[in-house]
Amino acid sequence: MSAPSADLPIRPRRLRLHAPLRGGLSEVRLSRGDFIVPVFVRDGSNVKREVSSMPGVFQMSVDVAADWLGELAEQGFAAFIAFGVIDPQRKDPAGSAALDEGNVVCRLLREAKSRKIPMAAISDLCFCEYTSHGHCGILKADQSTVDNDATLPRLVQQALNHARAGADLVAPSGMMDGAVGALRLGLDAAKFSDVAILSYSVKYASAFYGPFRDAAKSAPQFGDRRSYQMDPARGIREAIYEAELDVRQGADMVMVKPAGPYLDVIAAVRKKVTVPLVAYQVSGEFAMLEAAAKNGWLDRDAAAIESLLAIKRAGADLIISYFAPLLSKILPR
Ligand code: PBG
C-alpha cells in the first residue's frame, strides 16, 4: 500500500460525482435562440429535395420553406439565412439572376414578411450561386480573378432588392474589399438605415464548403477562391485585421467561417471586437459528423451537441448550423 501523494487532498472529481450538480456548474448552454438556420430555396411549389451530401437538409420551394421556417420560429430559433438555388440555364457570367426582384430569395423574403414569421430574415449576398463560372462576382477581362470594384455596385443592388423584399440583415459572403462600407452607404442612401449588416469578415478558402456547393450548385467552374477568400495558413493577425476593417466600415456583426476547425480564430476575434460574433458551422463540418454517424462510428446527437458547445465556448454569440432541425428535436424547451 502506497501512501496518498501530497496533492490528493485536491480532487477535481468530487464535483463531477452528481449529475444535477454537474448541470448547475455547466457554463456553456445551447438554446434555440443561439441559432441561425440556413435555408436553400429553389423554384417551383411543393418541392422538397434532399441534398445528397447533407442528409436531412433540403432544397425547398418558397411555400415549403416558409412553412418550415414558421415552425422553427415558433420554437424560438433566432433567424434564418437564405441561399438561392437556380436553374443552371439562368446563370450568366454577370450573375444577372441575382439582381432579379422575382428570384427565389426575394420571394422567400416577401413570403416570410407577409406571414410575419417571427425570426430575423438574413439574406446571403453573393454571386456564386448565379454566375455561370461559379465565382463570387464579375470576373476581370482576363478572367484571372473577381473584379472587386466592379462587383461592389452589384452587391449594393442585390442588397437593395433584398431590403425591399423584407431582409432585416444582409450578409455579404464574397470577401470583396470594401463591401461593408459600400453596402452601408447604399442602404442608407435608399433609407434602409435599419437593415443591419452581418459580414462574413473572416472567411477562409476552405475544403469544408464542398457539400454546400453541391446544395447551392455553386462550385467554381475553373480555378478556386484563393484570390479572395483567406489562406488557412495565415495567422490570427489577418483575421483580426479583416474583422476590424469591417467593424470600421459599419458591420453590425462579424462572422468567422468555418467554425470547428477555427476555434482559435473565433476566440481571438472575440477578444478584439465588441460587436456580436457569428460562427458558421459549415456544410463539411456537418457532413463529416453525419457520415460517421451513418457508419455507426459516432453518436450523432452527442457529437453534434459537443461540436456546437465548443463553438459557443470559443466565443460565438450566434451559430449558423445545419443541425438546427436536429436541435429542434433534442434541445430541452
Ligand atoms: C458563398 C457562400 C458559401 C458558403 C456560404 N456562402 C460557399 C463558398 O464560399 O464557396 C458555404 C457554406 C457552407 O459550406 O455551409 N455564397
Side-chain angles (χ1 to χ4, degrees):
M1 283 255 289
S2 54
S5 72
D7 65 351
L8 268 184
I10 297 166
R11 291 177 185 265
R13 285 185 56 191
R14 283 183 199 115
L15 295 187
R16 296 178 197 140
L17 290 172
H18 309 284
L21 183 60
R22 287 199 298 272
L25 290 173
S26 67
E27 293 177 50
V28 186
R29 291 196 177 84
L30 298 173
S31 71
R32 290 175 180 79
D34 298 327
F35 289 92
I36 299 171
V37 184
V39 53
F40 296 104
V41 59
R42 57 172 297 143
D43 264 324
S45 64
N46 204 20
V47 180
K48 189 176 175 188
R49 252 188 236 172
E50 192 164 30
V51 178
S52 58
S53 50
M54 300 175 76
V57 174
F58 298 87
Q59 297 176 343
M60 290 174 262
S61 49
V62 171
D63 52 339
V64 176
D67 289 348
W68 181 63
L69 293 173
E71 286 163 27
L72 292 173
E74 264 173 39
Q75 297 194 15
F77 285 89
F80 67 86
I81 181 163
F83 300 98
V85 184
I86 69 157
D87 186 342
Q89 282 172 344
R90 295 187 38 228
K91 299 188 182 188
D92 62 25
S96 317
L99 303 183
D100 170 6
E101 299 216 48
N103 71 22
V104 284
V105 170
C106 293
R107 276 163 37 214
L108 178 64
L109 292 167
R110 281 194 288 271
E111 186 64 24
K113 269 290 116 85
S114 79
R115 294 190 188 195
K116 299 194 167 57
I117 293 176
M119 238 178 175
I122 309 178
S123 72
D124 187 72
L125 292 185
C126 197
F127 289 93
C128 62
E129 295 132 60
Y130 307 93
T131 51
S132 44
H133 44 71
H135 283 284
C136 299
I138 302 235
L139 295 180
K140 290 192 164 182
D142 66 3
Q143 311 256 300
S144 59
T145 185
V146 174
D147 186 332
N148 193 90
D149 299 12
T151 299
L152 293 183
R154 298 177 67 77
L155 267 179
V156 172
Q157 260 182 283
Q158 191 183 30
L160 293 177
N161 286 357
H162 292 175
R164 275 191 289 270
D168 301 303
L169 297 90
V170 291
S173 65
M175 290 300 282
M176 293 300 119
D177 290 335
V180 173
L183 287 166
R184 191 67 274 157
L185 277 173
L187 287 165
D188 289 354
K191 305 238 179 328
F192 286 115
S193 46
D194 286 341
V195 172
I197 299 173
L198 159 59
S199 180
Y200 284 67
S201 307
V202 183
K203 177 174 177 181
Y204 289 90
S206 172
F208 291 99
Y209 305 152
F212 174 96
R213 292 175 186 175
D214 195 20
K217 300 215 194 82
S218 64
Q221 298 304 299
F222 59 86
D224 54 39
R225 304 210 203 286
R226 291 181 176 272
S227 65
Y228 38 104
Q229 299 179 349
M230 292 161 66
D231 180 356
R234 282 283 295 271
I236 293 294
R237 280 172 306 177
E238 188 194 28
I240 291 167
Y241 178 55
E242 282 281 8
E244 286 182 340
L245 258 178
D246 281 355
V247 171
R248 220 177 299 145
Q249 289 172 51
D252 299 282
M253 300 202 272
V254 295
M255 192 193 299
V256 172
K257 172 185 175 193
Y262 293 84
L263 296 178
D264 57 330
V265 177
I266 294 174
V269 172
R270 172 67 296 157
K271 266 199 212 136
K272 283 287 180 177
V273 302
T274 46
V275 299
L277 191 158
V278 177
Y280 197 146
Q281 183 183 51
V282 301
S283 56
E285 299 176 66
F286 169 83
M288 285 194 300
L289 297 185
E290 286 288 335
K294 208 174 231 176
N295 273 310
W297 297 339
L298 273 182
D299 173 337
R300 198 249 328 238
D301 296 5
I305 293 284
E306 187 177 332
S307 69
L308 294 165
L309 278 174
I311 293 166
K312 196 165 173 196
R313 192 182 59 235
D317 296 292
L318 291 169
I319 305 174
I320 304 179
S321 173
Y322 301 98
F323 285 119
L326 171 74
L327 298 175
S328 75
K329 295 197 192 89
I330 65 177
L331 284 184
R333 280 299 206 131

